[in-house]
Structures are given as C-alpha cells and as structure tokens.
Amino acid sequence: MKTELLYEGKAKKVYRTKDRQDQLVLAYKNDATAFNGEKKSSFDGKGRLNNEISSYIFHYLSEQNISSHFIEKLNETEQLVSETKIIPIEVVVRNLATGSITKRLGIEEKTPFSPPLVELFYKDDALGDPLINDEHALILSDATTEDLAGIKQMTLHINNVLQKLFLEINLTLVDFKLEFGRLKDGSIVLSDEISPDTCRLWDLDTQEKMDKDVFRQDLGDLLHVYKVILQRLEARS
C-alpha cells in the first residue's frame, strides 16, 4: 500500500499510498528521543507498542465523536490516516504541574491546574519548539482567531475524554501534547499520535511514571511500561 517516503521524523515515517492520494501511511519507529533530540536510543518493539496504543486511543476518541486523521490500523507498526496539512503549533494540556513548567515558572510539582492549563508551542526543532501566545500563532501559521478558539475547545474536550479513559485503567493523565491538521476541505482535525511518547501518565496508586519520562530520567524499563499500558487498555475492551 505504501509507496514514496514523504517525511521521516523522530518517531515515525510518513509514506504516500498507492491509488489513494488523500491518504497516508504512518510507520512507527523503534527510536526514542528526548531533550529536542539530544538523547537518543532504540528499543526493539517500541514502534509496535506506540502504534497499538495510539490506534486504540484514536478509535476510542472516534467512538466519542471526536474527529481525527486516523482511519485504521494496518498492521503492528503502521496506520492509515487521512492526509492533513499540519498546523505548526503543538498544543500542550497540563492537569498537574511537572516538567518544564515547574522550572520555567517556579510552580510546585504536582500543583493541580483547574481549569486545565493550555499552552501553545511553535513546532520548529531548530528553534527548540518555543512557547508562544495566540498572537504569535496567528503570525506563524495560517490559523485564524476562530481556528485557535476551536482548537482550544477541542483540546479541552479531548482532555476530559482522555482523563476518563485513563482513570478506567488506573492512570492519571498529567499532561499531554496534541497536534492538529487541515483536511483538503479545510476542516481541522486531531492529527499526529497519542501515546506514552506524547502523554505524561502516572499510576494512580503508586505514582509511578508510565511514559517517556522513564527514558528521559533513566527510571527503568521503557518497553515494560508501554506494555503495561497496552495490556490495561486491552483489558478494558
């Protein structure tokens, strides 16, 4: 089904599809990166786990009437998705304070945000994905004021839905990153992936970190953690 390689990022490869001009294949890699690519490693089977987890979550969001680029899981490491023009803005939702925001603003670790805090970052590796405001986003992308308002509304709705999902499998959704893209008709939908690479998840009982922080902070076996998340998701089905 896949033909020309269009793009290779840190975690995925993107291919054109034969005879389907408006659809792409996302192939998940085994690579793990942190600190804007300064720390790198590879874990045999990580691509499969991220694909399985992300496919499960996108399917769940579809059941909740949340539109995304996801069409179907093709195999262990690949997804079929609708082609979108990615808006170069990463939308980060924070339910609890941890990571960069505690250092940036001096907010105490585990401080809850109510309502959840939404931040925008310009998607540019060369610049280190800087924090931006709405006015910057209007300059740096083709998004309009109405688009940004809609993206934030969708983001908070997705946060509510995902919090409930993760609570069902005994995890706290601490924070996560979303990306959005335009379909050919101009409508904006959720894109990219949702996985432990893009979410911070803590075990509800032990507070154990169940995400890529295990790799970032050398806390243990990354593959084991991802396998546990997939097992919990599959057990709820």
Side-chain angles (χ1 to χ4, degrees), residues 20-204:
R20 299 188 184 185
Q21 294 184 352
D22 60 344
Q23 296 178 1
L24 303 172
V25 171
L26 299 189
Y28 284 73
K29 298 163 58 176
N30 288 329
D31 297 347
T33 63
F35 311 118
N36 200 25
E38 293 180 12
K39 183 176 183 178
K40 302 177 183 178
S41 191
S42 182
F43 299 88
D44 188 29
K46 176 178 177 290
R48 179 187 72 82
L49 291 166
N50 271 358
N51 180 48
E52 298 278 4
I53 293 169
S54 190
S55 295
Y56 185 103
I57 292 172
F58 274 123
H59 180 72
Y60 176 80
L61 290 176
S62 177
E63 292 179 335
Q64 312 305 312
N65 298 314
I66 295 172
S67 299
S68 77
H69 70 163
F70 180 78
I71 298 173
E72 63 178 334
K73 184 182 74 174
L74 295 174
N75 52 50
E76 286 190 343
T77 60
E78 295 178 339
Q79 297 173 2
L80 183 66
V81 301
S82 298
E83 182 173 8
T84 63
K85 180 183 178 183
I86 295 295
I87 297 170
I89 298 168
E90 296 181 345
V91 185
V92 172
V93 187
R94 301 184 188 275
N95 295 308
L96 294 172
T98 193
S100 63
I101 196 167
T102 62
K103 300 173 184 177
R104 176 164 30 102
L105 298 179
I107 298 173
E108 186 177 352
E109 180 86 4
K110 298 185 181 180
T111 299
F113 293 114
S114 182
L117 178 64
V118 177
E119 295 184 315
L120 306 180
F121 294 81
Y122 182 42
K123 186 176 168 62
D124 188 311
D125 287 342
L127 297 176
D129 298 334
L131 177 69
I132 60 174
N133 61 27
D134 285 18
E135 286 74 20
H136 296 144
L138 295 175
I139 294 169
L140 295 168
S141 74
D142 66 352
T144 65
T145 300
E146 292 75 18
D147 291 335
L148 291 179
I151 285 171
K152 290 180 181 181
Q153 184 177 22
M154 283 189 283
T155 294
L156 290 172
H157 180 47
I158 292 166
N159 182 47
N160 288 336
V161 170
L162 289 183
Q163 281 185 303
K164 293 174 184 176
L165 171 65
F166 286 122
L167 280 175
E168 285 186 37
I169 61 171
N170 215 46
L171 293 172
T172 298
L173 179 58
V174 177
D175 60 36
F176 62 104
K177 172 185 74 71
L178 297 178
E179 294 185 24
F180 294 86
R182 292 186 190 276
L183 297 171
K184 288 193 173 181
D185 65 4
S187 60
I188 295 175
V189 297
L190 179 64
S191 301
D192 195 45
E193 68 176 284
I194 301 178
S195 74
D197 273 11
T198 62
C199 302
R200 278 195 175 96
L201 301 165
W202 293 348
D203 186 89
L204 199 60

